[in-house]
Structures are given as structure tokens and as C-alpha cells.
Amino acid sequence: MTGASGDLDPATVAVVRNYLNSAATEMQRTLTRTAYNTIIYEIFDFGLSMYDADLRLLADSPGLSLFLGANDFSVRKGVEHVGEENLDPGDVIVLNYPYWNSSHTLDVCLFAPVFLDDELIGYTASRAHWLDLGAKDEGYVLDSTDMHQEGLIFPGTKVYKKGEPDEEILDIIRFNSRIPDKVIGDLNAQIAALRTGADRLRELHEKYGTETVDAAVDRIVEHGERTATEGIEALPDGTWSAVDYVDNDGVTDELVRIEVEVTIDGDAFTFDFSGSSDEVTGPINVPLGRTEAICKFCLKTLTTPEETTNHGHYEPIEIVVPEGNLFNAQYPSPTYTLWASMLAVDVVFKALAKAMPERIPASTGGDICSVMLYGDDPDTGRSFVEANNEAVGWGATDERDGPSALMHYVQTMVRNIPIEVFENKAPVEFDQLSLREDSGGPGERRGGLGVRRDYRLTHPADVLTIIKKTKTAGWGLDGGEPGAKNVVVLDLDDSDASRSDRIQVFADNNDDYPADDREWVGMMRGSFEPGEVVSNRSGGGGGYGDPFDRDPEAVREDVADGYVSREGAREDYGVVIDGGGEVDREATRSVRDEREN
């Protein structure tokens, strides 16, 4: 069993690998069972990781898929800042300095060294979304222009020293949060997860010996790199690029360019973001660690999607992004609203679709469509913050229609908050939760549908929406058309003359929608009164192939299911549905022939 890496029993390697993966899963269970915040225990906005003493990723348990590998950058920077020589058993370090943290200030990374008999054997890390750290605005900052408007910053600070809490640091956190009880509760939950992982890592070394575990890890990492390399070599060589745009930066109303050039050359996979916008005024700038996470996510989905993750899977990645680029934010640029990183995943796939359309679907709805409520609880008077992310439609492929109402790629392990839980936590009732008719992109294979969710306020509260991809459409493939864009519809009290004063709209989309008394918006923040409605309508996936080649019977079924309206069937697919709900064959031929002529 023991010996050099090459002599190690494969069965032992498999046991060690599965033990590590099980330990990461146990860390997740500890976190979700002890967290105070629904964003953690319901939505799964977290990422947990385990490392060896050389900071090689051993196993992880990402709730938010875009956290895949994000902790790698953060822990490395944190250890550099603190100094490995200054780490002691029982230490816990808190890090949220965005340019080292791979995220914004509220996605707080905690990590801890793991020792066995005074020998450093690894690290455990836990990243999770905290509700408030004293940023300039409650809930979420949509228009910061400087990092120092985005809350309390920790560059890598010991919150526990040799197993004992530093009460002065904890007091700083408490007194800089509008919701101190929940923030401290979530911090403790993360520490419990770290200790769970540390206990399991020590048990593994005690059972098999450090020499054997280290040799097994070498084999695991070697296998990860080999399978990732083989996956890349199976893809076509070449260079492809794509462009898309963020609606605005939250401060100015200009579109912000995302450009990605992807190169596959043998066993190398290069992502080049140089063509993207420079840093912008508002908070959509992306730290380098988050850009690494984008690239890791895209590579993993294409090469080793079925394998549990380790350091070796990311070895073939090369990233080109100059300092000061949108995707390599530098101090003090604001980074609070990281929506560009989510859209960038779609742009990478848009580029690759040119080379491998059989592997890549059309675009998704393009966003995670967040709605957040905050204010004072009408029953207790205490502050609350509750948020929900919405599902979108996914793109169609050459073989099948796109799935409807799924979380965006970057959140594919994330969940919605159940209606019953949300209504218990915030002063809101849900009037409607349904698929959004006609939102799927027309095509021979139809794009998946987005979702409509209507929030009706039952007591006064503040609401903000973080919605992008409302100005520019997604894309279909091979003649398919894009799905509907994201939008939020505000149904307000018409008798309230102050409505324009109490609601700040960052992106107004009335020009694209019906001329009525409602406001059709993207990002907004405002104070809402009982009875007023915020209707969140997420985008649909792109279609694949010419819509007029779609089987008329499939269109009839879509109309019967409420996926496509009768008008949409005729206009988008050239299919006429008669009064009895059946395909009018003669009229359909006439409509389709008319377009051909």
C-alpha cells in the first residue's frame, strides 16, 4: 500500500479520493445545517474546498457553480499575505478583499490550516454570501464607484487564533453590519464546516500515514491533469472569438463590451479577455480570481464534467487578461455587482459554438435575475434581507429543445427559495409563478422558457432587482432565433405622486415593451407599498435551426402546453392552429410557402 506514487495500490488511491470527496460533502452538510441565512441553507450560495500543504485542490463542494476553483486563488493569496510561517493550529483567517478574494466583499472566504502533530498537512476553505458588512447601501450595492463604498474589508485576518476567537475582530464585524446576528451566525457555520473538513483530513492521514496520502494525492492530481488534457485533445484546434454586452455598469447607461478569444492548440486551452472593455466606473468589474473561476468552469464542463474536481483538472488553462481590463480589476475599482462574470460564460460558449455546434447549445436567458427584499420585519421590527435568484431558459441543441426554468449555468447547483419559506421570511405574497409564454427562442428545436414570478408586497419594504441582459438579445444557432430578454415589470399605485422619487431605475426598458402605465425595467431599487407588484420575467434560451422547419405537431403541442401562443405559432413558426386546437394543414402550408416565395 505504501511507497512511491508509482508503487501505490490503485485501490488505496480510490479510497483516498472518495474519502476526500466525502469529506467535502460533509463540510457542505455542516454548513447548510448550521447557517442562519437562507442564501446559504436554501439557495446554496457557497463553495467549500480542501487543499494539501502545497495548496493543491483535493476536493470541493461548490453550491454556486461559478465558485468552482474560486477558493484556489483566494487561499493562495491569503497564505501569501499572512505567511505560512505565521500559521498555527486552530487559526481561522477571514478574507474578502475583492482583488484577492475572487469575488465581491460579501462572498467571504474563511480558511484554516490543518496540522497533524505540528506538521502542516493541508487547508480547508469555506466561501459563503454574508448579508451585510456595512456597505453604503442595504441589500446590495448597485452603483458604487470605489471599493471603499462596498463594506468592511479583510485582507486575510485571523478571526480565530490558536483555537480561540479574537473578540475584537468579532466586535468589528458586529458593529459594521446591519444584521450582526445573522452575519456572526453564518461565520460560525463556516467555521464549523472548516473544522469538519479538518477533522476528516487528519483522520485520513492518521489512518493511512502522511506518506501514503501524499502519494495518493500525487496520483489523483496526475489523473486529473491527464483526463483534462485528453479531453482538450479530443476538441478541434483553432481560435474563435465572440462578443456580447452588459446592459450598463450601474452608473452610466452605456453598454459594456465582453470579448473572449478562445484558442485550443493540442493540449493547451487559452482564454483571452484582452478585447473586453477596460475597467468601468460602476461595480461590474471582475477580479482576476473570478476570471480564473470562469475559465475553470468552462474547461471543466467541456473536458471532465463527470469527474469530481481536483487541482490537475485546471493545469492546462492559460489566461490572458491585462491589468485594468474589465476582467482583471485593480484597486480601487468597484466589484460589488459581478454580473459580467456570469455573462462571460455564455460568451465563451458562443465562441466555441463556431467550432463545435454539436457540443454547444444556443444561448441561455443570460442572467440569474435576482430580486432582493429588505427592511424592517413588520412583526419583530428587526432588519431582514431576503433574496431569490430566478431560473431561465437554456438553449436548444441540434438534437433537442432547450430545457425550461433552470438556474443559469453558473448556478446549476443553486436552488430557489421555496415560496413558503420566502413568504415566511419577508412581507410578500407570490401571485404567480409560471413559465413565460413565448419566451423560448424559435427554432426547429425551440429554446427553453423563462419564468414569471410576481411579488406582491404585504407591508412596506424596499426592493431591488439585479437584472442584466435586458437590452441585448441572446443568440440562436444554425438559423434559430434568440429567446425573450429579461425584464422586470413594476405595477405601482397610480395614485402615488411620489413614485418617481421613491424608485430609482438604473435601466429603463419601456421603449422595448407595450406603452402602458407600468414600468418595464432592468435594475432598480425602491421603496414599495402594500399591494404593489414586482413581476420578475426571466429570459428564454435560443433556438436551433430554422423555426419554419419545426414539426407542426410539435408546435401544436407547445400551444396546448402554454409554451407558445397561437400568434407566436403563426408568426414565428408559420403554423396555424384552428379553433379546435389542431394544426390547420392547408393554412400552415400557405403561410410557410409565402415566406419561401
Side-chain angles (χ1 to χ4, degrees), residues 329-348:
Q330 302 295 302
Y331 173 86
S333 63
T335 63
Y336 208 98
T337 310
L338 290 161
W339 263 234
S341 62
M342 302 170 192
L343 302 183
V345 171
D346 270 315
V347 182
V348 170

Side-chain angles (χ1 to χ4, degrees), residues 156-452:
T157 306
K158 292 186 180 183
V159 69
Y160 269 65
K161 298 177 179 177
K162 298 182 179 180
E164 296 297 324
D166 187 321
E167 293 296 341
E168 292 181 343
I169 298 297
L170 292 175
D171 273 347
I172 290 172
I173 294 172
R174 288 190 187 96
F175 282 83
N176 278 276
S177 176
R178 300 174 178 92
I179 314 175
D181 291 347
K182 287 194 172 183
V183 166
I184 294 297
D186 290 338
L187 180 150
N188 289 333
Q190 286 183 255
I191 292 173
L194 296 180
R195 289 174 173 168
T196 297
D199 288 345
R200 298 300 166 263
L201 190 56
R202 277 191 292 268
E203 288 172 2
L204 182 64
H205 280 255
E206 288 170 346
K207 182 174 182 178
Y208 289 100
T210 295
E211 182 182 1
T212 296
V213 173
D214 288 347
V217 167
D218 288 340
R219 290 276 293 277
I220 292 166
V221 170
E222 290 165 4
H223 178 267
E225 183 174 359
R226 184 171 67 254
T227 56
T229 298
E230 291 171 351
I232 295 172
E233 290 174 338
L235 301 174
D237 283 356
T239 298
W240 311 273
S241 64
V243 175
D244 197 20
Y245 296 89
V246 190
D247 291 349
N248 54 39
D249 66 0
V251 176
T252 67
D253 201 35
E254 300 299 318
L255 294 174
V256 181
R257 182 183 182 89
I258 299 174
E259 180 176 349
V260 181
E261 183 179 87
V262 182
T263 299
I264 301 175
D265 184 7
D267 61 359
F269 204 116
T270 303
F271 300 81
D272 188 341
F273 292 85
S274 301
S276 297
S277 166
D278 291 336
E279 291 175 336
V280 293
T281 304
I284 66 168
N285 300 294
V286 179
L288 180 58
R290 181 71 158 228
T291 302
E292 279 194 9
I294 295 167
C295 301
K296 290 174 178 178
F297 174 85
C298 293
L299 178 69
K300 191 76 170 64
T301 58
L302 286 170
T303 57
T304 56
E306 303 299 328
E307 293 188 13
T308 53
T309 306
N310 66 69
H311 176 86
H313 290 127
Y314 304 138
E315 283 291 278
I317 288 178
E318 297 179 16
I319 301 172
V320 179
V321 52
E323 290 187 358
N325 183 281
L326 180 69
F327 290 93
N328 189 356
Q330 302 295 302
Y331 173 86
S333 63
T335 63
Y336 208 98
T337 310
L338 290 161
W339 263 234
S341 62
M342 302 170 192
L343 302 183
V345 171
D346 270 315
V347 182
V348 170
F349 289 141
K350 182 180 182 180
L352 289 170
K354 298 175 181 179
M356 50 192 88
E358 75 287 352
R359 294 282 303 273
I360 306 294
S363 72
T364 69
D367 196 16
I368 63 173
C369 303
S370 294
V371 173
M372 182 174 289
L373 277 67
Y374 59 98
D376 295 329
D377 187 290
D379 296 323
T380 67
R382 303 177 69 178
S383 295
F384 74 90
V385 177
E386 292 296 332
N388 207 18
N389 299 330
E390 202 54 81
V392 296
W394 283 21
T397 70
D398 62 341
E399 295 183 343
R400 60 183 63 88
D401 293 344
S404 298
L406 293 181
M407 305 306 289
H408 189 274
Y409 300 143
V410 302
Q411 291 198 315
T412 45
M413 300 177 74
V414 164
R415 310 182 304 187
N416 293 125
I417 297 179
I419 285 176
E420 297 82 0
V421 173
F422 204 107
E423 291 183 340
N424 184 54
K425 296 286 186 178
V428 66
E429 292 178 350
F430 291 97
D431 287 354
Q432 178 173 335
L433 175 58
S434 64
L435 294 175
R436 184 182 173 192
E437 188 178 65
D438 287 333
S439 59
E444 182 178 5
R445 307 294 185 186
R446 174 185 42 74
L449 277 65
V451 169
R452 173 176 173 175

Side-chain angles (χ1 to χ4, degrees), residues 491-563:
D491 192 352
L492 306 175
D493 182 358
D494 290 334
S495 66
D496 185 354
S498 68
R499 55 190 280 184
S500 61
D501 296 329
R502 60 186 173 91
I503 296 175
Q504 180 184 12
V505 176
F506 297 86
D508 188 333
N509 291 310
N510 276 342
D511 292 343
D512 292 337
Y513 292 97
D516 55 27
D517 292 333
R518 297 174 296 175
E519 292 192 57
W520 300 69
V521 304
M523 281 202 322
M524 70 89 199
R525 176 194 297 276
S527 299
F528 285 75
E529 297 299 323
E532 295 185 325
V533 176
V534 177
S535 179
N536 189 15
R537 305 181 187 186
S538 66
Y544 194 106
D546 187 339
F548 275 46
D549 289 337
R550 186 166 177 81
D551 183 350
E553 183 60 23
V555 177
R556 184 198 66 79
E557 292 177 0
D558 285 344
V559 171
D561 289 335
Y563 298 168

